Amino acid sequence: MLKNKLRFLFRIIFILVLLLTSFGAVQAESKTTADLKIISDPLGATVYVDGNLTKLHTPCTIKDLSIGDHRIELRKSKYRNEKKVVTVKPGQNSEEFSMAETSLYYMWLSLPALLLGALMTLFLTCVAVFNGIIIGTFTGVCRVIHNKIVNMAAGIYVDFIRGTPLLVQIFMIHFGTPPILGILFNNGQPIPINPFLSALLALSINSGAYVAEIVRAGIQSIDRGQMEAARSLGMSYKHSMRFVILPQALKRVIPPLGNEFIAMLKDSSLVSVIGMEELVRKAQIIVTRSYRPTETWLEVGLLFLVMTIPFTRIVSRLERRLKVND
Amino acid sequence: MIKVENLHKKFRHLHVLKGITTRIVKGEVVCVIGPSGSGKSTFLRCLNLLEKPSGGSIYIEGIDVTDHSLINVNEVRAEVGMVFQRFNLFPHKTALENITMAPMKVRGLSVEEATERAYELLDRVGLRHKADVYPDHLSGGQQQRIAIARSLAMKPKVMLFDEPTSALDPEMIQEVLDVMKNLARDGMTMIVVTHEMGFAKEVAHRVLFMDEGEILEEGAPEELFNTARHDRAKQFLSKILK
């Protein structure tokens, strides 16, 4: 009896062991691992698998990953990383990561090139407005003196410039004049103008017309009595203009000149169309390479703002101060 | 010294001066009175050619100044000082610089000469202590006195005053009139457009009453004020002499 019972027990144990081992075998069969190949753009990123640093550098193959989902994280630098849940299947696995920079990091990276462009914009504006002041003061005086022909010539110049788009003026100078120059100096072969020169020329001529209007308004804002008083003392028109009217007019002209500078700073972006590499042109070039227009143009806008705001402040302060003096 | 013959001035269709004829001798003080719009100021401005006469002639010391082939306008003006209703001082110059500018630019005086002359004139108008002050910081009366000094600095042969006290607060009128009285006493030839009848009575040798571009009445102040012939003159005087 006891023997029988023992045998029965052994059998049960045997069967259990058998069952267990066979179950284990099945278990072992399903626990097989697979490899995961990781490629990334850019290469050389550190790989984290399920939160653990595996100290690999892409491209790489992670061996013996269990079948199923894994959280894979790639890090290139502080500002470039990508996380993904990758489902590993039996056999060969490969996954490609493309790590975008964060927007701020991208903007930081593109800043030096854009700053160079901004510098060029500032330079163009300064030179253009400086030339504009020289041209404009002369033209503005030409508009108020008593000489019909001079009045008319100055009037035509100012009306033409103020009545046509700056873009058209840029095209006229950059594309319109080379054939004329060619006919004059090069046997009909057009002489191309370098974009820098045409840009400066167009902006200066444009600014000159606007400054002329500012100067004219400044001169005419001076009380007529000033001219009469100077003339009644026997001073010539020229002397009265130079020693009495212009010194007073130029003081009043300073705030609107500041506004002209700000306007020119913004309008100078138009010379980008003839390939002058100022801020906007630089941004266009960067966008064609990076495909990130949102950040790039936002950054350009911010850079313009950084340049204009100090001048806006200065102008409004000047306006307030001159008002007190008047 | 000044002879005006049949002077006309038209602004387009507006006939402002209709044949003014008068004579002013050296050292004479002439007051011009009349209602507004009667052409007093225009007459004065024609005398130093701030307005170009449309017809007639003006002789200053025998020279026809309306004949542009003969004269240089600037030379005429240098001899004819003018004081304006609104002073018209140069606001960007100090009182002293206001006075020295024209003598230096027109007469070619050196800085020292001009400054010396300016201080003499500042003494004369009693404003030496304001030499380095800008016009903004002067009262109306002080500004007008500086303006008178500025004109005198050119040593003009005749002084024109275009309502010199009309833009002043009442308490400042007297200081300007006092300067003008002293000037008259010193023998300056003066033509004064004014509404200050007291000044006219006291100082003027002769008063011209103008209306609608003509000289209606002319005579010594007392005589004119008391025995005006024309109704318009009587009306005007009765209003102003109250």
Side-chain angles (χ1 to χ4, degrees), chain A residues 21-35:
Chain A
T21 46
S22 66
F23 187 74
V26 170
Q27 271 278 338
E29 182 67 36
S30 67
K31 219 182 180 179
T32 42
T33 54
D35 297 346

Side-chain angles (χ1 to χ4, degrees), chain A residues 223-237 239 243-245 247-248 325-326, chain B residues 45 48 50 74 77-78 80 82 84 88-93 101-102 105-106 136 150-151 154:
Chain A
D223 183 29
R224 277 185 60 198
Q226 290 293 310
M227 179 54 95
E228 285 179 355
R231 299 307 304 275
S232 79
L233 289 165
M235 288 168 72
S236 64
Y237 183 83
H239 272 161
F243 298 112
V244 177
I245 306 297
Q248 295 181 56
N325 276 0
D326 256 5
Chain B
R45 291 160 63 85
N48 76 346
L50 277 180
N74 295 328
R77 290 195 181 122
V80 181
M82 176 118 179
F84 298 86
N88 295 345
L89 288 179
F90 307 136
H92 62 301
K93 299 282 182 192
M101 181 192 275
K105 304 293 178 210
V106 181
D136 291 358
R150 179 176 70 176
S151 284
M154 292 298 289

Side-chain angles (χ1 to χ4, degrees), chain A residues 226 229 248, chain B residues 86-92 98 135 138 142-144 146-148 150:
Chain A
Q226 290 293 310
Q248 295 181 56
Chain B
R86 300 223 43 100
F87 335 131
N88 295 345
L89 288 179
F90 307 136
H92 62 301
N98 262 281
L138 293 171
Q142 291 169 333
Q143 287 194 48
Q144 192 61 298
I146 297 290
I148 293 171
R150 179 176 70 176

Side-chain angles (χ1 to χ4, degrees), chain B residues 6-238:
Chain B
N6 197 25
L7 180 67
H8 283 266
K9 175 66 191 175
K10 284 177 194 165
F11 293 105
R12 298 201 181 182
H13 303 297
L14 206 64
H15 205 157
V16 183
L17 296 181
K18 299 167 185 164
I20 304 280
T21 302
T22 190
R23 231 172 228 277
I24 291 139
V25 298
K26 198 170 164 59
E28 195 177 19
V29 176
V30 176
C31 280
V32 183
I33 60 170
S36 62
S38 58
K40 305 167 298 208
S41 288
T42 309
F43 170 53
L44 216 59
R45 291 160 63 85
C46 279
L47 288 180
N48 76 346
L49 304 175
L50 277 180
E51 304 290 354
K52 214 169 148 191
S54 315
S57 1
I58 301 166
Y59 296 91
I60 296 179
E61 303 211 308
I63 301 163
D64 185 357
V65 297
T66 54
D67 184 350
H68 286 275
S69 59
L70 275 178
I71 55 107
N72 177 338
V73 181
N74 295 328
E75 283 169 19
V76 175
R77 290 195 181 122
E79 305 301 330
V80 181
M82 176 118 179
V83 175
F84 298 86
Q85 182 177 353
R86 300 223 43 100
F87 335 131
N88 295 345
L89 288 179
F90 307 136
H92 62 301
K93 299 282 182 192
T94 63
L96 186 73
E97 288 165 343
N98 262 281
I99 300 171
T100 57
M101 181 192 275
M104 283 161 64
K105 304 293 178 210
V106 181
R107 300 272 199 234
L109 260 61
S110 69
V111 187
E112 292 79 23
E113 289 170 312
T115 309
E116 194 186 331
R117 188 187 283 186
Y119 273 117
E120 277 168 33
L121 289 165
L122 281 170
D123 280 338
R124 212 158 144 190
V125 298
L127 287 173
R128 177 183 268 265
H129 59 293
K130 297 285 187 189
D132 297 320
V133 176
Y134 284 90
D136 291 358
H137 299 288
L138 293 171
S139 72
Q142 291 169 333
Q143 287 194 48
Q144 192 61 298
R145 281 145 72 195
I146 297 290
I148 293 171
R150 179 176 70 176
S151 284
L152 290 174
M154 292 298 289
K155 299 211 161 135
K157 298 198 171 90
V158 54
M159 285 284 282
L160 311 176
F161 293 83
D162 188 2
E163 304 198 20
T165 56
S166 300
L168 294 176
D169 291 338
E171 74 267 26
M172 292 167 182
I173 291 176
Q174 201 50 48
E175 63 187 64
V176 174
L177 290 181
D178 286 344
V179 168
M180 289 166 67
K181 279 177 200 163
N182 285 332
L183 206 57
R185 218 160 288 147
D186 293 345
M188 174 61 79
T189 314
M190 290 161 69
I191 304 175
V192 187
V193 171
T194 187
H195 296 298
E196 294 294 329
M197 293 304 147
F199 173 82
K201 265 183 197 165
E202 191 180 338
V203 183
H205 300 111
R206 193 149 54 95
V207 175
L208 307 180
F209 175 80
M210 277 183 72
D211 191 31
E212 299 196 346
E214 291 168 313
I215 297 177
L216 277 190
E217 307 260 352
E218 191 173 348
E222 289 296 338
E223 176 193 325
L224 188 131
F225 290 163
N226 296 326
T227 61
R229 281 161 293 165
H230 293 78
D231 285 344
R232 272 181 291 173
K234 278 180 195 160
Q235 259 175 28
F236 176 79
L237 288 168
S238 71

Side-chain angles (χ1 to χ4, degrees), chain A residues 101-110 286 290 292 295-296:
Chain A
E101 294 124 347
T102 54
S103 294
L104 273 175
Y105 185 59
Y106 167 78
M107 285 163 87
W108 171 251
L109 284 184
S110 51
I286 289 172
S290 69
R292 296 187 73 157
E295 291 93 341
T296 315

Side-chain angles (χ1 to χ4, degrees), chain A residues 248-276:
Chain A
Q248 295 181 56
L250 289 184
K251 196 174 133 196
R252 286 194 196 175
V253 150
I254 291 168
L257 272 187
N259 287 328
E260 163 64 14
F261 183 86
I262 294 165
M264 186 45 70
L265 193 71
K266 294 181 284 177
D267 291 347
S268 69
S269 60
L270 282 171
V271 300
S272 61
V273 295
I274 56 168
M276 181 65 224

